[in-house]
Amino acid sequence: MHCPFCQNPDTKVVDTRVGEDGYAIRRRRECPKCQRRFTTVETATLMVVKRSGNVEPFSRDKVITGVRKACQGRPIREEDLKQLGQKVEEDLRSRGLAQIKSEDVGKAILKPLRNLDEVAYMRFASVYQEFNNLEDFERAIRQLRAQDGIGSD
């Protein structure tokens, strides 16, 4: 790490702390040449491999934006969306992979969204799983009812 003040390539770490989110490391550094101190923040980047083959950094905000569309008109608070985004990110990072497929991001969204709101879940699933007809909706509803232990009418 180069000193931002004198460009000295040799700096020493004075203090290390884990960030509030648990995914960043904050390091306090000191330059032995100019004696000035500065802070660096290190994060592990989780990359998402899109269907097109493009790779981009994971974005919790993109997850929340996508889910927000499915939640339009539903009684869901912004705080609930933020918590869902955090759960999804924690799930994906807990897998210990540097890259993850976009399909896996969608799958990671489904369970916490279902627990939050079943209507929003169906909306999101219909786009994510590319429902083409009423049978796709009926099958998804049967699966929801089976998971809840509710028989079909």
Side-chain angles (χ1 to χ4, degrees):
M1 172 60 59
H2 286 78
C3 172
F5 305 107
C6 71
Q7 306 309 313
N8 181 28
D10 182 34
T11 61
K12 71 177 184 178
V13 175
V14 178
D15 183 39
T16 300
R17 296 184 186 183
V18 176
E20 290 179 17
D21 63 1
Y23 297 110
I25 296 174
R26 181 186 160 277
R27 297 193 194 277
R28 193 74 180 136
R29 296 177 179 268
E30 183 178 321
C31 175
K33 184 176 177 185
C34 70
Q35 306 300 310
R36 296 186 70 186
R37 289 186 173 197
F38 59 98
T39 301
T40 59
V41 178
E42 300 172 20
T43 58
T45 304
L46 178 62
M47 301 302 286
V48 178
V49 180
K50 308 290 274 186
R51 288 184 181 147
S52 66
N54 293 340
V55 180
E56 64 182 49
F58 173 81
S59 169
R60 187 186 299 184
D61 290 336
K62 279 184 84 169
V63 168
I64 293 169
T65 299
V67 171
R68 185 180 289 121
K69 290 175 186 172
C71 295
Q72 279 183 322
R74 302 296 302 157
I76 296 172
R77 301 173 309 154
E78 189 63 26
E79 184 61 32
D80 295 331
L81 293 176
K82 289 180 181 178
Q83 287 177 353
L84 183 139
Q86 182 176 349
K87 286 178 188 173
V88 169
E89 184 171 0
E90 287 172 356
D91 175 19
L92 296 172
R93 288 189 183 274
S94 72
R95 300 176 191 191
L97 301 171
Q99 288 190 342
I100 195 147
K101 294 178 182 175
S102 59
E103 295 87 33
D104 293 332
V105 175
K107 288 177 186 174
I109 292 170
L110 289 174
K111 183 178 180 186
L113 182 56
R114 179 177 182 262
N115 293 336
L116 183 62
D117 187 276
E118 288 183 338
V119 172
Y121 166 86
M122 288 299 294
R123 289 175 179 170
F124 185 86
S126 70
V127 173
Y128 167 71
Q129 295 174 342
E130 299 176 355
F131 289 9
N132 292 314
N133 50 44
L134 287 176
E135 287 78 24
D136 291 340
F137 280 95
E138 289 171 347
R139 183 174 47 257
I141 291 169
R142 278 195 305 274
Q143 289 172 346
L144 276 175
R145 287 184 171 151
Q147 291 169 355
D148 287 341
I150 301 170
S152 56
D153 297 321

